[in-house]
Amino acid sequence: HLTIQPKGYLAAPSNDLYLHLGEAMLTHLPLMQGEARVAPRIALQVLVSTAYNALGVGLEGIDPRTDPFTEQLQPRLVEGTWLEPGDPYGVVVGRAMAEKLKVEVGSKLVVMAGGSQGEVESRLGHVRGIFESKLDQVDNYLVLGTLKFARPLLPGLRKGRDDLAVTRLAIFLDDPRQQDALMARLAVRPPPEGVVLDWQEMMPQVVNFVIVDDLFNYIWLAFILVMVAFGIVNTILMSALERTREFGLLRALGMKSGAVLGLMLCETVLLALVAMAVGWAIGGGAHLYFATYGLDLSAYFPEGLETAGMYMDPVIHTHLSLGRVV
């Protein structure tokens, strides 16, 4: 939801930009108990090579104990084990990358990262595990290691002085509605060498996509509501016109016109309630199923699903919001 990263990194990502005392900031963030989770990360563009092949990939150094990457990818391990905290050599890679590099669990690979001044740092990594996320862009591109593995690859690292360096602090809120409040608190005491950005600032193309998607959704919903309204009016009108004689008899017996109107309104409300109950039973049941099990679109998107530059899980889960219901 929020990130603390070096100034200028968003405009021009570079291996040279990192927070020298990044992990030390964790104790100074104005976070309340249980409000958020903070994951220190080291993100680098690197070259991974073996005796068989070399690939340009993205390396993410994480803390396996607290980072959401563990929850997302550890269940998708198909071989080996997950990263252990403080492992100085272990990495996990996607199945597609493992096949291209011709590595397996226990194999060695060399990771090299370059800086803007021409310096190159390299590390020897041991493959601890292989995952399969079903997203080609992840399985082909992502290498995960511990912070201890990734930190020595930072260009220009000052030994003994940058032992807490990270490229960003990723903040995950338990309640996304608290995002603005936390942003305001962080703005009071901004990090000395970084900036605080919310996900809307980090991914403006996704924000624009959501706006356009909502606009088309509401246009489509308005069209459906007009069609439904005509259907309801037609049903009630025919119900009234077909009973002209009955209404005339009721009026002749002394029933007031307001009472006749009330009778029609009661029938209409009863029909509406029954229709809503049936509609909620069918629609709500479908929602509960897809919210639990999801709609698998992987057959239609074999290379993964991309939206506004963001790669998504092809298994889509429904979400019911009060705003949409209203």
Side-chain angles (χ1 to χ4, degrees):
H1 300 97
L2 304 173
T3 183
I4 299 175
Q5 61 187 35
K7 297 174 181 177
Y9 187 88
L10 183 63
S14 171
N15 289 350
D16 298 276
L17 295 175
Y18 50 88
L19 304 170
H20 295 276
L21 296 173
E23 284 195 270
M25 295 182 187
L26 292 174
T27 58
H28 301 291
L29 293 178
L31 300 176
M32 294 184 289
Q33 184 69 27
E35 179 182 42
R37 210 168 19 153
V38 184
R41 291 178 174 176
I42 298 176
L44 296 170
Q45 303 298 314
V46 300
L47 179 70
V48 176
S49 61
T50 64
Y52 304 97
N53 203 353
L55 298 172
V57 301
L59 170 69
E60 287 278 353
I62 64 171
D63 183 345
R65 297 167 298 183
T66 60
D67 201 288
F69 268 129
T70 298
E71 300 170 7
Q72 295 164 356
L73 292 179
Q74 187 175 16
R76 299 178 183 265
L77 277 178
V78 292
E79 295 180 43
T81 60
W82 191 246
L83 298 169
E84 293 292 335
D87 186 347
Y89 301 107
V91 297
V92 293
V93 300
R95 180 188 287 276
M97 186 186 301
E99 291 175 353
K100 291 181 179 179
L101 295 173
K102 292 182 170 50
V103 296
E104 55 188 20
V105 175
S107 297
K108 298 178 181 178
L109 46 78
V110 177
V111 181
M112 293 183 289
S116 60
Q117 304 301 318
E119 66 273 34
V120 176
E121 304 290 343
S122 62
R123 294 275 288 169
L124 180 66
H126 295 174
V127 179
R128 305 294 191 209
I130 297 173
F131 61 83
E132 187 173 14
S133 69
K134 304 297 185 182
L135 287 172
D136 286 349
Q137 296 84 354
V138 174
D139 294 341
N140 277 305
Y141 183 73
L142 183 63
V143 176
L144 288 175
T146 63
L147 293 171
K148 191 170 184 179
F149 174 82
R151 188 169 286 126
L153 292 168
L154 292 169
L157 193 72
R158 298 169 299 181
K159 301 297 189 292
R161 299 180 61 188
D162 288 338
D163 293 339
L164 300 175
V166 298
T167 58
R168 70 166 61 91
L169 296 175
I171 302 175
F172 301 86
L173 298 175
D174 293 334
D175 184 0
R177 293 173 296 181
Q178 300 301 318
Q179 176 178 301
D180 292 339
L182 180 54
M183 277 283 288
R185 294 207 305 272
L186 291 172
V188 175
R189 288 192 302 166
E193 53 176 341
V195 293
V196 183
L197 302 174
D198 57 30
W199 71 268
Q200 290 94 334
E201 293 173 296
M202 291 184 288
M203 297 182 289
Q205 70 277 16
V206 177
V207 177
N208 293 332
F209 172 81
V210 171
I211 292 173
V212 173
D213 182 60
D214 280 344
L215 177 62
F216 278 103
N217 274 331
Y218 285 121
I219 291 174
W220 179 242
L221 286 173
F223 175 75
I224 292 176
L225 286 174
V226 170
M227 298 294 292
V228 170
F230 275 109
I232 293 173
V233 169
N234 180 67
T235 301
I236 302 303
L237 184 61
M238 293 306 297
S239 175
L241 294 178
E242 289 175 354
R243 290 188 291 168
T244 303
R245 292 179 180 275
E246 287 84 349
F247 292 146
L249 178 59
L250 291 174
R251 292 286 287 127
L253 292 173
M255 192 172 190
K256 295 181 179 180
S257 57
V260 175
L261 178 61
L263 176 64
M264 289 295 299
L265 287 175
C266 286
E267 291 181 3
T268 304
V269 170
L270 182 61
L271 279 171
L273 292 175
V274 172
M276 288 172 63
V278 174
W280 272 106
I282 297 174
H287 159 67
L288 288 175
Y289 176 84
F290 289 117
T292 304
Y293 300 103
L295 177 63
D296 191 351
L297 302 177
S298 56
Y300 302 98
F301 302 94
E303 295 183 358
L305 181 59
E306 180 183 359
T307 301
M310 181 174 64
Y311 298 111
M312 300 169 58
D313 190 334
V315 180
I316 306 299
H317 294 264
T318 58
H319 173 71
L320 195 61
S321 64
L322 181 60
R324 287 293 173 89
V325 173
V326 172

